[in-house]
């Protein structure tokens, strides 16, 4: 029988994502409602090691649901990857009497949580907060919907100017290892091609298809490429297309960090609130060391060790659809 969790620590870790604040708010207030003491840990695992840990009350999460970024700050922490670092972190939690943790982050953060909970028998709940959506066991991750909407808004604007000048625009979106932002924003803006890390890029096929479009005088084209595509990013792609199809007037737009910021979408606020609320309930009910997800609009719990191994798979049929819709 696991010990009763009475004092919880909440942190955001790894890459930031819009909606993290809404999740922190939900977890803090659910904890307080259940008569727990709630602590905010600043800058993820770094804050655990440096004892940057502060008690939170209901007011400390007022007026943040609509804000991007994270009031708890976030960081990447190499020291936590060492046993000595994790020992220090545990000593600080013990000092405050914290006996349950909620970690909002990506799969790297979950790996850390999994190792930590094994070493020190402290229950950890992971909440998927990443714009990349590259985590299995959940239909959505906090921040993904906002990031896609930001990308779509930008690409719509780019299409206006592409149309005015008959240009081919190559738009690079975020996604070092995952192509979800590229896939969703590309489909949502009617891109001619979408290049993602999960699928080997056949650059010759892209060139052939663009040559065919040039022959048909379809000069306005949008190609969306994930930054981590195996062929390269927007600039590499532009170079080879320029060389092979000199007739095209090509521009590259790299959307970059705008995709991480901004007010969270309604969907992100909703899933963040539900996940934060459920994470505290997991700690109370003894459903420990799981990642909280949402599948088919229902809460879904995946053991952390499984969550860090599985990857969400790209639906191949969607890529086929892109080709048909762009013809
Ligand atoms: P994300 O959570 O967004 O995937 P990272 O991969 O950078 O981001 O992971 C965030 C942090 O989680 C790391 O800086 C580190 O402190 C911790 N972490 C990641 N992998 C491990 C690991 N194998 N062992 C211990 N801690 C880890």
């Amino acid at each position: 029988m696991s010990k009763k969790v009475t004092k919880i620590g909440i942190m955001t870790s790894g890459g930031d994502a819009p909606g993290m604040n809404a999740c922190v708010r939900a977890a803090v207030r659910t904890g307080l409602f259940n008569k727990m003491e709630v602590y905010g840990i600043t800058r993820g695992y770094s804050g655990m090691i440096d004892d940057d840990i502060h008690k939170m009350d209901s007011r400390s999460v007022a007026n943040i649901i609509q804000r991007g970024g994270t009031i708890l700050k976030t960081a990447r922490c190499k020291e936590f990857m060492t046993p000595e670092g994790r020992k220090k972190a545990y000593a600080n939690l013990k000092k405050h009497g914290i006996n349950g943790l909620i970690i909002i982050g990506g799969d790297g953060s979950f790996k850390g949580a999994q190792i930590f909970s094994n070493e020190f028998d402290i229950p950890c709940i992971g909440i998927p907060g990443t714009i990349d959506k590259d985590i299995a066991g959940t239909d959505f991750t906090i921040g993904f919907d906002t990031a896609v909407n930001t990308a779509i808004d930008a690409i719509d604007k780019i299409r206006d100017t592409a149309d005015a000048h008959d240009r081919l625009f190559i738009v690079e979106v975020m996604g070092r290892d995952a192509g979800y932002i590229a896939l969703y924003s590309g489909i949502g803006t009617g891109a001619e091609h979408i290049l993602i890390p999960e699928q080997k890029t056949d650059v010759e096929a892209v060139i052939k298809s663009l040559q065919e479009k040039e022959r048909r005088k379809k000069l306005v084209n949008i190609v969306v490429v994930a930054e981590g595509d195996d062929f390269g990013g927007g600039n590499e792609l532009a170079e080879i297309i320029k060389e092979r199809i000199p007739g095209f007037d090509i521009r590259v737009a790299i959307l970059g960090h705008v995709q991480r910021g901004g007010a969270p979408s309604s969907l992100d606020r909703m899933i963040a609130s539900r996940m934060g609320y459920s994470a505290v309930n997991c700690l109370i009910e003894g459903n420990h060391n799981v990642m909280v997800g949402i599948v088919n609009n229902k809460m879904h719990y995946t053991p952390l060790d499984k969550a860090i191994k599985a990857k969400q798979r790209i639906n191949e049929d969607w890529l086929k659809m892109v080709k048909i819709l762009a013809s």
Side-chain angles (χ1 to χ4, degrees):
M1 184 67 189
S2 46
K3 279 176 279 179
K4 194 173 170 212
V5 178
T6 50
K7 297 188 185 188
I8 59 172
I10 300 173
M11 69 160 97
T12 49
S13 169
D16 65 307
M20 281 181 159
N21 280 328
C23 189
V24 170
R25 170 182 175 272
V28 169
R29 292 197 171 160
T30 306
L32 294 171
F33 173 82
N34 287 288
K35 308 275 181 275
M36 291 167 148
E37 273 182 33
V38 182
Y39 292 82
I41 301 169
T42 308
R43 292 188 179 82
Y45 294 119
S46 303
M48 258 164 83
I49 291 174
D50 302 337
D51 193 18
D52 204 347
I53 300 174
H54 308 275
K55 212 165 168 185
M56 297 183 88
D57 61 19
S58 184
R59 291 304 94 206
S60 49
V61 290
N63 201 20
I64 65 165
I65 194 167
Q66 77 282 22
R67 283 165 55 189
T70 159
I71 60 158
L72 291 179
K73 308 272 186 181
T74 184
R76 296 199 155 91
C77 174
K78 281 216 171 106
E79 206 182 342
F80 196 76
M81 297 194 172
T82 66
E84 296 75 32
R86 293 192 294 273
K87 231 184 239 172
K88 268 197 232 167
Y90 180 67
N92 287 325
L93 293 188
K94 221 173 159 194
K95 190 172 95 187
H96 294 280
I98 295 170
N99 53 8
L101 277 182
I102 294 177
I103 298 108
I104 308 163
D107 62 345
S109 303
F110 297 165
K111 265 179 217 152
Q114 162 72 7
I115 292 169
F116 191 68
S117 67
N118 278 341
E119 281 175 347
F120 297 105
D121 192 26
I122 182 152
C124 293
I125 308 295
I127 299 183
T130 162
I131 61 169
D132 290 331
K133 199 174 107 82
D134 54 345
I135 293 179
T138 186
D139 291 343
F140 293 99
T141 60
I142 296 169
F144 171 72
D145 184 62
T146 306
V148 168
N149 279 307
T150 301
I152 282 184
D153 185 47
I155 299 168
D156 281 349
K157 287 171 178 152
I158 285 167
R159 196 180 267 288
D160 288 346
T161 164
D163 188 52
H165 288 276
D166 288 336
R167 273 179 181 149
L168 163 64
F169 255 95
I170 297 171
V171 185
E172 183 186 300
V173 298
M174 277 187 159
R176 266 196 303 250
D177 305 304
Y180 286 99
I181 297 180
L183 190 60
Y184 277 62
S185 64
I187 290 173
T189 54
E192 272 63 33
H193 294 278
I194 302 173
L195 310 182
I196 55 174
E198 291 87 342
Q199 200 191 44
K200 181 135 186 53
T201 290
D202 182 350
V203 79
E204 287 306 320
V206 174
I207 290 169
K208 210 169 137 204
S209 139
L210 290 172
Q211 280 168 335
E212 162 62 21
K213 289 192 167 110
E214 191 196 24
R215 266 194 296 279
R216 283 168 31 209
K217 298 276 174 258
K218 186 177 188 291
L219 299 174
V220 182
N221 287 287
I222 303 280
V223 176
V224 176
V225 54
E227 62 180 324
D229 183 62
D230 59 283
F231 180 77
N235 287 323
E236 285 87 354
L237 194 64
E239 218 154 276
I240 191 162
I241 297 175
K242 249 181 224 162
E243 207 180 285
R244 300 282 298 278
I245 326 177
F248 265 129
D249 186 10
I250 303 176
R251 293 291 185 278
V252 179
I254 296 175
L255 298 190
H257 282 77
V258 290
Q259 293 160 94
R260 281 200 183 276
S265 67
S266 62
L267 178 67
D268 275 329
R269 294 179 202 202
M270 179 64 92
I271 64 163
S273 300
R274 290 175 67 192
M275 287 176 179
Y277 168 77
S278 292
V280 175
N281 288 332
C282 283
L283 286 174
I284 294 169
E285 290 157 11
N287 187 11
H288 293 168
N289 305 324
V290 294
M291 182 196 83
V292 172
I294 296 178
V295 174
N296 292 333
N297 208 21
K298 289 198 173 71
M299 300 320 295
H300 184 88
Y301 307 99
T302 309
L304 276 180
D305 54 347
K306 284 218 179 89
I308 56 183
K309 279 188 202 124
K311 280 265 170 231
Q312 204 172 119
R313 292 169 74 100
I314 293 276
N315 188 332
E316 302 275 331
D317 197 43
W318 291 16
L319 296 167
K320 191 174 141 199
M321 176 184 80
V322 169
K323 285 201 184 114
I324 294 169
L325 301 190
S327 57

